[in-house]
Amino acid sequence: KGFLQTPALACIPDGYTATVEVLLEVSRYDATDADAVVATTTVSAAGVSENSFANYEDVALDANMGWTTKTAVLEGVMPGERIAIGSNLKVSTNSRLNVSRVRLTVKSLSAGVPAISATRADVTSTTATFTWNQGGTAAEEVARAYTFGVYSDAACSTAVLEYSTEASDACWDNKIPKYTFAALEPSTTYWFKVSDTTDGTSSRIVKFTTADASTIVLSSDHSADEVLAAVEGGGSITVLSEDFSELRWGGDAFNLSACLTAPSDKSSFLNPGVAPYKFSESGGNLFTVNTTALSASRFSAWAYYYPSTASNVWIRPGYVQICNKGALCYLFTPSLDNIPSGYTATVVIKVTLGRYPGGPTSAIVGVEESEFTMSGRRITSSCLLDNCQTVSSLPNSTRKTATLTFTGVKSGSRVFVGPPSPVATDNRVILDELSITITEITTNL
């Protein structure tokens, strides 16, 4: 996907923002291509991406491939910004677009440029991360008191999630303010705004739309008979799919945003509006601190294994952190009891992983067939961790998706994810999504 950008809009006077009408003569490349988007961005050339868009409007294109004239109106365009034109933000394929004409018209000017620069850093189906500053050092920025939130309307009058922090609040850990909002609705448009509550200055209002939701599949959703019928009929069947979107509470050091301590009820699956408290890197533990919440959630059948000192799986907004610094731990899915008795299966495992800052550059994904000894949700013995594959070159502070295939998988096996080997410094691995699909079954003679 690429975006065509106009030259920087030097025509907007300093000290003003503009309402700009964008007229396009456009067409789809073919009928399978997506609608268009028009956005403002400060980034030039190859560095532009949808995460750099401060404001945007979707442009619905005609179903046929003929030329059509469309308009979009963008408010709050600042001097020197560019207009980016490209395919709909949520589409990763079939994103071709023909552009025959572009005309920009400044419709009105408003005096005053927002004192606070706000930028969208990341958006998923249920989370959105923002950072902001007023041009000072980290110490100067966190010395301010803020009110910041996500709103359901362009005027930012109806708060979905809104927080306030005092000047020099420890939640920022002496970093430039950056915050991840969790528990948002998929495929939904929101607006973000931050205000300096000391002097009343505000950021521009940033519009964003969350990604489409993943389809959650629990291990209990499909019986062995359903699996047998689907695969013998020439198809495949997904027997587990998890995006961890139910997780709402916990520090988000992966994005270097403000971290949260536990609400008093220790529930990570409730109360998404809990305000930032004192910085806490560790946050909540999926299997120990939050046992009450876990038992009532879709993670109640998951398990973990650590071979030495206590190390666990830490809750983050919409994903999990496996291990804690120098310790070692592996996260296990529920057992694949839906593989038919007397058969082995070929399973395709799709994982989205990331590198925790300072953590390993690779992770292992494997299938464990051992008869486990369990203590609660902890596997205490009989793990071999030998039938595994490596996902290499994990990116830092972003995510990578890999697809792995395992054959001869037996009923009752569990899929595990974790670091490649113990090291003295840091073993932390980020897991954002995981799905298991059975594509073939073979009689186990």
Side-chain angles (χ1 to χ4, degrees), residues 6 115 132 165 173 184 193 198 218 234 274 313 333 336 344 372 392 403 407 412 444:
T6 68
W132 61 88
T165 54
D173 192 36
L184 302 176
K193 181 181 179 181
T198 301
L218 304 181
V274 173
V313 181
T333 68
L336 301 180
T344 60
F372 301 125
S392 302
T403 302
T407 59
N444 189 15

Side-chain angles (χ1 to χ4, degrees), residues 331-342:
L331 176 64
F332 283 73
T333 68
S335 59
L336 301 180
D337 296 330
N338 38 26
I339 296 176
S341 177

Side-chain angles (χ1 to χ4, degrees), residues 334-355:
S335 59
L336 301 180
D337 296 330
N338 38 26
I339 296 176
S341 177
Y343 292 83
T344 60
T346 297
V347 300
V348 176
I349 302 170
K350 185 177 181 180
V351 288
T352 300
L353 300 161
R355 182 188 178 195

Side-chain angles (χ1 to χ4, degrees), residues 46-70:
V48 69
S49 73
E50 42 264 61
N51 281 338
S52 66
F53 294 160
N55 194 10
Y56 66 90
E57 290 293 335
D58 293 318
V59 178
L61 301 183
D62 293 345
N64 59 38
M65 277 97 63
W67 293 107
T68 183
T69 300
K70 299 289 183 178

